[in-house]
Protein backbone atom coordinates (compact mmCIF):
# COMPACT_ATOMS: atom_id res chain seq x y z
CA UNK A 1 0.00 0.00 0.00
CA UNK A 2 2.75 2.38 1.01
CA UNK A 3 4.50 1.42 -2.22
CA UNK A 4 1.42 2.35 -4.29
CA UNK A 5 1.06 5.68 -2.53
CA UNK A 6 4.69 6.41 -3.11
CA UNK A 7 4.50 5.64 -6.81
CA UNK A 8 1.31 7.77 -7.15
CA UNK A 9 3.11 10.57 -5.41
CA UNK A 10 6.08 10.24 -7.78
CA UNK A 11 3.90 10.24 -10.90
CA UNK A 12 1.94 13.28 -9.61
CA UNK A 13 5.22 15.09 -9.12
CA UNK A 14 6.41 14.04 -12.54
CA UNK A 15 3.23 15.33 -14.20
CA UNK A 16 3.38 18.57 -12.27
CA UNK A 17 6.98 19.07 -13.38
CA UNK A 18 6.14 18.44 -17.02
CA UNK A 19 3.18 20.81 -16.86
CA UNK A 20 5.30 23.48 -15.24
CA UNK A 21 7.88 23.19 -18.03
CA UNK A 22 5.12 23.32 -20.68
CA UNK A 23 3.68 26.44 -19.01
CA UNK A 24 7.05 28.16 -19.01
CA UNK A 25 7.56 27.33 -22.71
CA UNK A 26 4.02 28.50 -23.51
CA UNK A 27 4.54 31.80 -21.72
CA UNK A 28 7.94 32.42 -23.34
CA UNK A 29 7.10 31.40 -26.91
CA UNK A 30 10.64 30.10 -27.48
CA UNK A 31 13.10 29.44 -24.68
CA UNK A 32 16.43 27.67 -24.11
CA UNK A 33 16.75 24.81 -21.62
CA UNK A 34 18.99 26.81 -19.33
CA UNK A 35 16.33 29.54 -19.07
CA UNK A 36 13.66 26.94 -18.32
CA UNK A 37 15.85 25.84 -15.41
CA UNK A 38 16.07 29.45 -14.19
CA UNK A 39 12.29 30.00 -14.49
CA UNK A 40 11.23 26.74 -12.82
CA UNK A 41 14.02 26.37 -10.29
CA UNK A 42 14.62 22.80 -11.59
CA UNK A 43 18.19 21.58 -12.07
CA UNK A 44 19.49 21.62 -15.67
CA UNK A 45 19.63 17.80 -15.53
CA UNK A 46 15.93 17.60 -14.57
CA UNK A 47 15.04 20.05 -17.36
CA UNK A 48 16.97 17.88 -19.83
CA UNK A 49 15.05 14.78 -18.76
CA UNK A 50 11.63 16.49 -18.87
CA UNK A 51 12.22 18.23 -22.18
CA UNK A 52 13.44 15.01 -23.83
CA UNK A 53 10.21 13.32 -22.69
CA UNK A 54 8.13 16.19 -24.07
CA UNK A 55 10.10 16.15 -27.34
CA UNK A 56 9.59 12.41 -27.65
CA UNK A 57 5.85 12.81 -27.16
CA UNK A 58 5.70 15.52 -29.85
CA UNK A 59 4.37 18.27 -27.56
CA UNK A 60 7.39 20.50 -28.10
CA UNK A 61 10.02 20.91 -30.79
CA UNK A 62 13.57 22.20 -31.02
CA UNK A 63 14.49 25.19 -33.09
CA UNK A 64 18.07 25.98 -33.93
CA UNK A 65 18.47 29.58 -35.00
CA UNK A 66 20.59 30.08 -38.10
CA UNK A 67 23.77 31.99 -37.23
CA UNK A 68 23.55 35.56 -38.44
CA UNK A 69 25.08 36.01 -41.89
CA UNK A 70 27.54 38.61 -40.64
CA UNK A 71 28.53 36.63 -37.53
CA UNK A 72 32.28 36.34 -37.06
CA UNK A 73 33.69 32.85 -37.61
CA UNK A 74 34.71 32.74 -33.93
CA UNK A 75 31.08 32.98 -32.79
CA UNK A 76 30.05 30.16 -35.11
CA UNK A 77 32.17 27.67 -33.27
CA UNK A 78 30.68 25.33 -30.73
CA UNK A 79 27.12 24.11 -30.53
CA UNK A 80 24.47 26.59 -31.61
CA UNK A 81 22.06 27.60 -28.86
CA UNK A 82 18.97 25.44 -29.25
CA UNK A 83 15.60 26.76 -28.16
CA UNK A 84 12.37 24.94 -27.51
CA UNK A 85 8.83 25.86 -28.40
CA UNK A 86 5.42 24.19 -28.34
CA UNK A 87 4.64 22.11 -31.40
CA UNK A 88 1.43 23.71 -32.66
CA UNK A 89 0.58 20.68 -34.79
CA UNK A 90 0.57 18.43 -31.69
CA UNK A 91 -3.12 19.05 -31.08
CA UNK A 92 -6.17 20.75 -32.54
CA UNK A 93 -8.45 22.00 -29.78
CA UNK A 94 -11.90 23.58 -29.98
CA UNK A 95 -13.58 26.11 -27.73
CA UNK A 96 -17.36 26.54 -27.86
CA UNK A 97 -19.36 29.41 -26.48
CA UNK A 98 -23.05 28.67 -26.13
CA UNK A 99 -24.96 31.94 -26.23
CA UNK A 100 -28.67 32.68 -26.19
CA UNK A 101 -29.06 32.70 -29.95
CA UNK A 102 -25.78 31.37 -31.38
CA UNK A 103 -23.01 28.82 -30.91
CA UNK A 104 -19.49 30.13 -31.56
CA UNK A 105 -16.66 27.70 -32.22
CA UNK A 106 -12.98 28.57 -32.25
CA UNK A 107 -10.37 25.95 -33.11
CA UNK A 108 -6.80 26.59 -31.98
CA UNK A 109 -3.60 24.62 -32.43
CA UNK A 110 -1.60 23.53 -29.39
CA UNK A 111 0.37 26.79 -29.45
CA UNK A 112 -2.89 28.76 -29.21
CA UNK A 113 -2.90 30.05 -32.80
CA UNK A 114 -6.29 30.34 -34.44
CA UNK A 115 -7.00 27.67 -37.04
CA UNK A 116 -10.66 28.31 -37.80
CA UNK A 117 -13.65 30.13 -36.33
CA UNK A 118 -17.31 29.53 -36.98
CA UNK A 119 -20.69 30.79 -35.78
CA UNK A 120 -23.92 28.85 -36.04
CA UNK A 121 -27.38 30.11 -35.00
CA UNK A 122 -28.96 28.28 -32.05
CA UNK A 123 -32.16 26.62 -33.29
CA UNK A 124 -33.75 27.46 -29.92
CA UNK A 125 -32.34 29.30 -26.92
CA UNK A 126 -33.30 26.46 -24.56
CA UNK A 127 -33.23 22.77 -25.41
CA UNK A 128 -33.56 19.27 -24.02
CA UNK A 129 -30.16 17.66 -23.36
CA UNK A 130 -29.94 15.24 -26.35
CA UNK A 131 -30.93 17.98 -28.82
CA UNK A 132 -28.47 20.40 -27.18
CA UNK A 133 -25.64 17.86 -27.56
CA UNK A 134 -26.49 17.24 -31.22
CA UNK A 135 -26.53 21.01 -31.79
CA UNK A 136 -23.03 21.41 -30.33
CA UNK A 137 -21.79 18.48 -32.40
CA UNK A 138 -23.23 20.07 -35.55
CA UNK A 139 -21.55 23.40 -34.79
CA UNK A 140 -18.12 21.79 -34.16
CA UNK A 141 -18.48 19.55 -37.23
CA UNK A 142 -19.22 22.60 -39.38
CA UNK A 143 -16.13 24.35 -37.97
CA UNK A 144 -13.96 21.28 -38.69
CA UNK A 145 -15.32 21.03 -42.23
CA UNK A 146 -14.50 24.71 -42.73
CA UNK A 147 -10.92 23.98 -41.58
CA UNK A 148 -10.68 20.95 -43.89
CA UNK A 149 -10.25 18.28 -41.21
CA UNK A 150 -12.40 15.62 -39.57
CA UNK A 151 -14.11 15.99 -36.22
CA UNK A 152 -11.97 13.06 -35.06
CA UNK A 153 -8.89 15.29 -35.57
CA UNK A 154 -9.72 17.24 -32.38
CA UNK A 155 -7.92 16.35 -29.13
CA UNK A 156 -10.28 18.19 -26.82
CA UNK A 157 -13.28 20.54 -26.71
CA UNK A 158 -13.93 23.23 -24.11
CA UNK A 159 -17.54 24.32 -23.63
CA UNK A 160 -18.48 27.66 -22.07
CA UNK A 161 -22.11 27.91 -21.01
CA UNK A 162 -24.20 30.04 -18.73
CA UNK A 163 -25.41 28.53 -15.48
CA UNK A 164 -24.36 26.53 -12.47
CA UNK A 165 -21.60 24.22 -13.67
CA UNK A 166 -19.37 21.92 -11.64
CA UNK A 167 -16.32 21.99 -13.92
CA UNK A 168 -14.55 19.21 -12.00
CA UNK A 169 -17.36 16.76 -12.85
CA UNK A 170 -18.51 18.27 -16.19
CA UNK A 171 -21.89 18.49 -14.46
CA UNK A 172 -24.54 21.15 -15.08
CA UNK A 173 -26.89 21.82 -12.16
CA UNK A 174 -28.82 24.40 -14.11
CA UNK A 175 -28.33 26.36 -17.32
CA UNK A 176 -30.47 28.84 -19.22
CA UNK A 177 -29.55 26.82 -22.35
CA UNK A 178 -31.05 23.54 -21.06
CA UNK A 179 -34.62 22.59 -20.23
CA UNK A 180 -33.33 19.82 -17.90
CA UNK A 181 -31.76 20.30 -14.49
CA UNK A 182 -28.93 18.25 -12.89
CA UNK A 183 -27.47 17.05 -16.18
CA UNK A 184 -24.31 14.95 -16.40
CA UNK A 185 -23.57 16.84 -19.59
CA UNK A 186 -20.01 15.54 -19.89
CA UNK A 187 -21.31 11.97 -20.22
CA UNK A 188 -23.95 13.03 -22.78
CA UNK A 189 -21.40 14.91 -24.89
CA UNK A 190 -18.92 12.00 -24.64
CA UNK A 191 -21.50 9.86 -26.44
CA UNK A 192 -21.67 12.16 -29.47
CA UNK A 193 -18.16 13.66 -29.59
CA UNK A 194 -14.95 11.72 -30.31
CA UNK A 195 -12.64 13.49 -27.85
CA UNK A 196 -12.57 14.64 -24.21
CA UNK A 197 -14.94 17.51 -23.37
CA UNK A 198 -14.37 20.09 -20.63
CA UNK A 199 -17.35 22.17 -19.51
CA UNK A 200 -17.25 25.30 -17.39
CA UNK A 201 -19.32 28.32 -16.58
CA UNK A 202 -18.91 30.91 -19.33
CA UNK A 203 -17.96 33.75 -16.98
CA UNK A 204 -15.12 31.62 -15.55
CA UNK A 205 -13.83 31.07 -19.07
CA UNK A 206 -14.07 34.76 -19.89
CA UNK A 207 -12.00 35.37 -16.75
CA UNK A 208 -9.48 32.84 -18.07
CA UNK A 209 -9.40 34.56 -21.46
CA UNK A 210 -8.99 37.98 -19.79
CA UNK A 211 -6.13 36.58 -17.71
CA UNK A 212 -4.36 34.99 -20.68
CA UNK A 213 -5.12 37.41 -23.50
CA UNK A 214 -7.07 40.43 -22.24
CA UNK A 215 -7.27 43.14 -19.58
CA UNK A 216 -6.13 40.85 -16.77
CA UNK A 217 -2.86 39.79 -18.41
CA UNK A 218 -0.54 41.22 -15.77
CA UNK A 219 -3.01 41.12 -12.89
CA UNK A 220 -3.27 38.13 -10.55
CA UNK A 221 -6.30 39.26 -8.51
CA UNK A 222 -9.26 40.59 -10.40
CA UNK A 223 -12.97 40.16 -10.99
CA UNK A 224 -14.71 39.87 -14.34
CA UNK A 225 -18.40 40.72 -14.58
CA UNK A 226 -20.05 39.50 -17.76
CA UNK A 227 -23.23 41.01 -19.07
CA UNK A 228 -25.25 39.49 -21.86
CA UNK A 229 -28.54 37.62 -21.62
CA UNK A 230 -27.78 37.20 -17.91
CA UNK A 231 -25.13 38.52 -15.53
CA UNK A 232 -22.10 36.40 -14.65
CA UNK A 233 -18.86 36.76 -12.76
CA UNK A 234 -15.41 35.19 -12.74
CA UNK A 235 -13.04 35.52 -9.81
CA UNK A 236 -9.28 35.26 -10.35
CA UNK A 237 -7.26 34.92 -7.16
CA UNK A 238 -3.51 34.39 -7.28
CA UNK A 239 -3.73 33.85 -11.04
CA UNK A 240 -6.25 30.99 -10.65
CA UNK A 241 -10.00 30.89 -11.18
CA UNK A 242 -11.86 30.52 -7.92
CA UNK A 243 -14.71 28.02 -8.49
CA UNK A 244 -16.02 27.28 -5.00
CA UNK A 245 -16.77 23.86 -3.55
CA UNK A 246 -19.68 22.82 -5.81
CA UNK A 247 -18.84 25.01 -8.77
CA UNK A 248 -21.71 27.31 -7.87
CA UNK A 249 -19.67 30.26 -6.66
CA UNK A 250 -19.36 33.70 -8.21
CA UNK A 251 -23.05 33.80 -9.16
CA UNK A 252 -23.17 37.57 -9.10
CA UNK A 253 -26.36 37.59 -11.17
CA UNK A 254 -28.14 35.60 -8.47
CA UNK A 255 -27.05 37.66 -5.49
CA UNK A 256 -30.20 39.09 -3.97
CA UNK A 257 -30.90 42.77 -4.26
CA UNK A 258 -34.61 42.81 -3.39
CA UNK A 259 -36.64 40.94 -0.77
CA UNK A 260 -39.44 38.98 -2.54
CA UNK A 261 -38.46 40.86 -5.69
CA UNK A 262 -38.78 40.18 -9.42
CA UNK A 263 -38.76 36.57 -10.66
CA UNK A 264 -35.40 35.46 -11.99
CA UNK A 265 -34.85 32.87 -14.75
CA UNK A 266 -33.19 30.67 -12.07
CA UNK A 267 -36.57 30.34 -10.37
CA UNK A 268 -35.78 32.50 -7.32
CA UNK A 269 -36.87 36.05 -6.59
CA UNK A 270 -35.00 39.29 -6.15
CA UNK A 271 -31.80 38.31 -8.04
CA UNK A 272 -29.70 41.12 -9.52
CA UNK A 273 -30.10 39.53 -12.95
CA UNK A 274 -33.87 39.87 -12.69
CA UNK A 275 -33.31 43.66 -12.76
CA UNK A 276 -30.29 43.95 -15.05
CA UNK A 277 -30.33 41.05 -17.56
CA UNK A 278 -31.59 41.71 -21.07
CA UNK A 279 -34.61 39.47 -20.54
CA UNK A 280 -35.55 41.37 -17.39
CA UNK A 281 -35.45 44.74 -19.13
CA UNK A 282 -37.58 43.46 -22.01
CA UNK A 283 -40.06 41.93 -19.58
CA UNK A 284 -40.30 45.22 -17.70
CA UNK A 285 -40.83 47.16 -20.93
CA UNK A 286 -43.50 44.78 -22.15
CA UNK A 287 -45.35 44.96 -18.83
CA UNK A 288 -45.26 48.76 -18.86
CA UNK A 289 -46.36 49.00 -22.46
CA UNK A 290 -48.60 46.12 -23.46
CA UNK A 291 -49.66 47.80 -26.73
CA UNK A 292 -46.46 47.16 -28.71
CA UNK A 293 -44.47 44.22 -27.31
CA UNK A 294 -40.74 44.48 -28.04
CA UNK A 295 -38.93 41.43 -29.40
CA UNK A 296 -35.36 42.30 -28.49
CA UNK A 297 -33.24 44.59 -26.36
CA UNK A 298 -32.02 46.52 -29.41
CA UNK A 299 -35.55 47.86 -29.95
CA UNK A 300 -35.69 49.04 -26.35
CA UNK A 301 -32.33 50.77 -26.81
CA UNK A 302 -33.60 52.58 -29.88
CA UNK A 303 -36.59 53.85 -27.91
CA UNK A 304 -34.36 55.07 -25.08
CA UNK A 305 -32.06 56.82 -27.54
CA UNK A 306 -35.05 58.49 -29.15
CA UNK A 307 -35.90 59.95 -25.73
CA UNK A 308 -38.72 57.60 -24.71
CA UNK A 309 -39.20 58.24 -20.96
CA UNK A 310 -40.35 54.69 -20.14
CA UNK A 311 -37.38 53.07 -21.90
CA UNK A 312 -34.96 55.49 -20.25
CA UNK A 313 -36.33 54.85 -16.78
CA UNK A 314 -35.88 51.09 -17.27
CA UNK A 315 -32.20 51.51 -18.17
CA UNK A 316 -31.62 54.01 -15.37
CA UNK A 317 -33.05 51.67 -12.77
CA UNK A 318 -30.98 48.76 -14.15
CA UNK A 319 -27.90 50.99 -13.89
CA UNK A 320 -28.64 51.84 -10.23
CA UNK A 321 -29.16 48.18 -9.38
CA UNK A 322 -25.96 47.23 -11.18
CA UNK A 323 -24.00 49.93 -9.32
CA UNK A 324 -25.25 48.52 -6.03
CA UNK A 325 -24.10 45.03 -7.08
CA UNK A 326 -20.63 46.28 -8.10
CA UNK A 327 -20.25 48.11 -4.79
CA UNK A 328 -21.08 44.84 -3.01
CA UNK A 329 -18.30 43.10 -4.96
CA UNK A 330 -15.85 45.83 -4.01
CA UNK A 331 -16.91 45.67 -0.37
CA UNK A 332 -16.42 41.89 -0.26
CA UNK A 333 -13.31 41.36 -2.41
CA UNK A 334 -11.48 44.69 -2.53
CA UNK A 335 -10.08 43.68 -5.94
CA UNK A 336 -7.37 45.57 -7.80
CA UNK A 337 -9.39 45.54 -11.00
CA UNK A 338 -12.94 44.87 -12.19
CA UNK A 339 -13.39 44.07 -15.88
CA UNK A 340 -16.87 44.50 -17.34
CA UNK A 341 -17.02 42.19 -20.33
CA UNK A 342 -19.70 41.57 -22.88
CA UNK A 343 -21.13 42.79 -26.12
CA UNK A 344 -21.21 46.54 -26.55
CA UNK A 345 -24.85 46.87 -27.47
CA UNK A 346 -26.24 45.07 -24.50
CA UNK A 347 -24.54 46.94 -21.73
CA UNK A 348 -23.28 50.43 -22.47
CA UNK A 349 -25.92 51.86 -20.13
CA UNK A 350 -24.33 49.82 -17.35
CA UNK A 351 -21.01 51.61 -17.36
CA UNK A 352 -22.34 55.12 -17.72
CA UNK A 353 -20.57 57.69 -15.52
CA UNK A 354 -23.64 57.85 -13.32
CA UNK A 355 -23.40 54.11 -12.64
CA UNK A 356 -19.72 54.26 -11.71
CA UNK A 357 -20.41 57.28 -9.52
CA UNK A 358 -23.22 55.41 -7.72
CA UNK A 359 -20.84 52.43 -7.31
CA UNK A 360 -18.25 54.72 -5.69
CA UNK A 361 -20.90 56.15 -3.34
CA UNK A 362 -21.85 52.68 -2.08
CA UNK A 363 -18.28 51.37 -1.72
CA UNK A 364 -16.56 51.47 1.66
CA UNK A 365 -14.69 54.74 1.81
CA UNK A 366 -11.06 54.72 2.84
CA UNK A 367 -8.22 57.05 2.06
CA UNK A 368 -7.05 54.94 -0.89
CA UNK A 369 -8.05 54.72 -4.53
CA UNK A 370 -11.01 52.49 -5.44
CA UNK A 371 -10.49 49.54 -7.78
CA UNK A 372 -10.04 50.35 -11.42
CA UNK A 373 -13.03 49.46 -13.62
CA UNK A 374 -12.22 48.58 -17.22
CA UNK A 375 -14.75 47.90 -19.91
CA UNK A 376 -13.87 45.21 -22.42
CA UNK A 377 -16.44 44.79 -25.14
CA UNK A 378 -15.91 41.61 -27.07
CA UNK A 379 -17.89 39.16 -29.11
CA UNK A 380 -18.68 35.48 -28.68
CA UNK A 381 -15.42 34.43 -30.35
CA UNK A 382 -13.46 35.75 -27.38
CA UNK A 383 -15.57 33.70 -25.00
CA UNK A 384 -14.85 30.69 -27.22
CA UNK A 385 -11.16 31.54 -26.92
CA UNK A 386 -11.40 31.22 -23.15
CA UNK A 387 -13.08 27.83 -23.60
CA UNK A 388 -10.34 26.71 -25.99
CA UNK A 389 -7.61 27.94 -23.60
CA UNK A 390 -9.22 25.91 -20.82
CA UNK A 391 -9.32 22.83 -23.06
CA UNK A 392 -5.65 23.31 -24.02
CA UNK A 393 -4.80 23.38 -20.31
CA UNK A 394 -6.77 20.19 -19.65
CA UNK A 395 -5.50 18.37 -22.75
CA UNK A 396 -1.93 19.26 -21.69
CA UNK A 397 -2.61 17.71 -18.28
CA UNK A 398 -4.02 14.54 -19.87
CA UNK A 399 -1.18 14.28 -22.39
CA UNK A 400 1.72 14.68 -19.96
CA UNK A 401 0.24 11.82 -17.94
CA UNK A 402 0.69 9.55 -20.95
CA UNK A 403 4.27 10.55 -21.76
CA UNK A 404 6.47 7.51 -21.08
CA UNK A 405 8.88 7.89 -18.17
CA UNK A 406 11.92 6.60 -20.05
CA UNK A 407 11.26 8.49 -23.25
ZN1 LIG B 1 -31.52 34.14 -10.04
Amino acid sequence: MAQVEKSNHNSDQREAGRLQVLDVIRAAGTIARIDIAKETGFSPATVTVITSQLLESGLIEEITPEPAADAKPSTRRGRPRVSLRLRGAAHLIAGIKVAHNSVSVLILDFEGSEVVSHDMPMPEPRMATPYFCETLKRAVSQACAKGGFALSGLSGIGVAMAGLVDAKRNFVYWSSSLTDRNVNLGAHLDRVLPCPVFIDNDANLVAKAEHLFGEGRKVDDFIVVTIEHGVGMGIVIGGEIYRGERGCGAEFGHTKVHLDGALCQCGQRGCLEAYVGNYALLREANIMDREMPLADIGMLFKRAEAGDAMARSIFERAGRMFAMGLANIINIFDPKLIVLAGEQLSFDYLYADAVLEAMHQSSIQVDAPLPEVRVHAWGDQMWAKGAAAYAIERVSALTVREVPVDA
Side-chain angles (χ1 to χ4, degrees), residues 253-256 264-274 279:
H254 305 286
T255 53
K256 304 299 177 279
C264 177
Q265 58 174 353
C266 75
Q268 296 193 323
R269 287 191 176 274
C271 299
L272 177 67
E273 195 174 288
Y279 73 89

